[in-house]
Amino acid sequence: MWEWPVAALALACGLVVLLAVALVRTRRRYRAALAEQGRLLERERERAARAAVDAERARIAAELHDIVSHNVSLMVVQAGAAREVLPTMPGTAETALRAVEAAGRDAMTELRHLLGLLAPAPDGDNRADGAELAPQPGLGQLGALADRIAFAGLPVEVRVSGEPRPVPAGIDVTAYRIVQEALTNALKHGDGAKAEVSVRYTDQYLRVEVLNSGPSVLTGTARRPPDGERPAGGAGRGLLGLRERVAVYGGDLDARRRLGGGYRVRARIPLERP
């Protein structure tokens, strides 16, 4: 008479125990899954932080290269010219030394601007005060850049076609740095008689091209750079950094030796993002 109720009770108790065990296991698995997800998220956060640090280091290295390489190259060329003519033409030597001083001041101004952007304000505000910092160079300063390069010994012709108009600040700086790097390389490594800079505005693109003349590779008279130097237009840090900058805006950059002599650096940067 009591056998069925007892059996049913025992069965119910057994089911409760099984459900309790299953619940405990499920909770353990859930907690383990949460812990694993947390570890994965932490690793992803660390990976993203390292990637951000690496990208910022690369950006700072590119900026420092653009500033230091250009101005120091001008200073070296002008100091060498001053040394050559000092005994016979002191007036010319003084002019060259003034150019060295001007290049040094330009470098200090740009470095001060870069460091001002990187360093936090004394009150802890990370926003840079634009009134106290000089603006980044842009296409509007190409004339002054060409004059400095020409004074150092490489005549530069600048041509602008299309309808000049304001472009985004990042593109403006990038275009200027392309011209600066190409002319600096031509001055340091080339035997060219002149350089030509072309800037063309179109509806969709900003096109920048820098050509410098020099001995033809077909005749075998092209100068070999000294050991440790890279030829103009080569894959040095400067041009690698510029390729990355141009790629950020969806553009492309090509730098190569010209068969007819000299080098060509050409970039195309979209003005309207797709």
Side-chain angles (χ1 to χ4, degrees):
M1 177 178 180
W2 297 98
E3 293 180 358
W4 285 105
V6 172
L9 181 60
L11 180 60
C13 290
L15 290 175
V16 170
V17 172
L18 290 176
L19 289 175
V21 171
L23 180 60
V24 170
R25 290 178 177 175
T26 301
R27 286 183 175 177
R28 288 178 178 173
R29 287 195 294 266
Y30 178 70
R31 290 174 180 173
L34 285 180
E36 180 63 22
Q37 184 179 13
R39 287 192 292 270
L40 291 175
L41 290 175
E42 181 65 18
R43 285 199 294 268
E44 184 63 28
R45 187 192 65 79
E46 293 176 354
R47 188 180 300 111
R50 287 196 298 268
V53 170
D54 291 341
E56 187 66 10
R57 284 176 176 173
R59 186 187 69 83
I60 295 172
E63 285 290 341
L64 288 174
H65 174 275
D66 292 338
I67 295 171
V68 175
S69 176
H70 168 70
N71 288 289
V72 171
S73 296
L74 290 180
M75 294 167 68
V76 169
V77 171
Q78 294 293 353
R83 177 177 53 81
E84 291 291 335
V85 301
L86 183 61
T88 56
M89 293 182 288
T92 302
E94 181 181 359
T95 301
L97 290 176
R98 290 184 181 275
V100 172
E101 181 182 7
R105 291 184 183 277
D106 289 343
M108 289 301 300
T109 299
E110 291 199 57
L111 286 173
R112 195 176 297 116
H113 169 74
L114 178 61
L115 295 176
L117 292 177
L118 295 176
D123 59 0
D125 188 356
N126 287 326
R127 294 176 298 176
D129 186 354
E132 298 180 359
L133 297 174
Q136 285 277 66
L139 293 174
Q141 285 77 48
L142 283 186
L145 173 63
D147 290 341
R148 291 198 300 270
I149 295 292
F151 188 76
L154 180 67
V156 181
E157 179 183 355
V158 179
R159 294 194 299 269
V160 179
S161 59
E163 183 178 352
R165 61 186 187 275
V167 299
I171 294 178
D172 197 27
V173 174
T174 297
Y176 178 90
R177 294 302 190 193
I178 291 170
V179 177
Q180 182 186 59
E181 179 70 14
L183 292 179
T184 302
N185 282 345
L187 180 66
K188 288 193 299 185
H189 306 300
D191 289 331
K194 65 177 182 177
E196 300 176 1
V197 177
S198 300
V199 178
R200 181 183 177 190
Y201 294 84
T202 68
D203 293 338
Q204 292 82 23
Y205 296 98
L206 176 68
R207 299 178 183 270
V208 179
E209 184 177 71
V210 182
L211 303 175
N212 70 285
S213 59
S216 173
V217 298
L218 298 177
T219 62
T221 57
R223 181 179 73 91
R224 290 176 59 90
D227 292 340
E229 291 188 4
R230 292 183 181 271
R237 174 183 290 274
L239 287 173
L240 287 176
L242 289 175
R243 284 192 177 94
E244 294 173 356
R245 288 192 188 199
V246 171
V248 167
Y249 299 102
D252 53 78
L253 183 143
D254 178 73
R256 65 182 64 195
R257 186 186 295 270
R258 302 165 63 198
L259 291 178
Y263 290 88
R264 182 196 72 194
V265 178
R266 177 183 294 170
R268 183 186 66 169
I269 308 175
L271 292 178
E272 296 182 2
R273 297 301 298 271

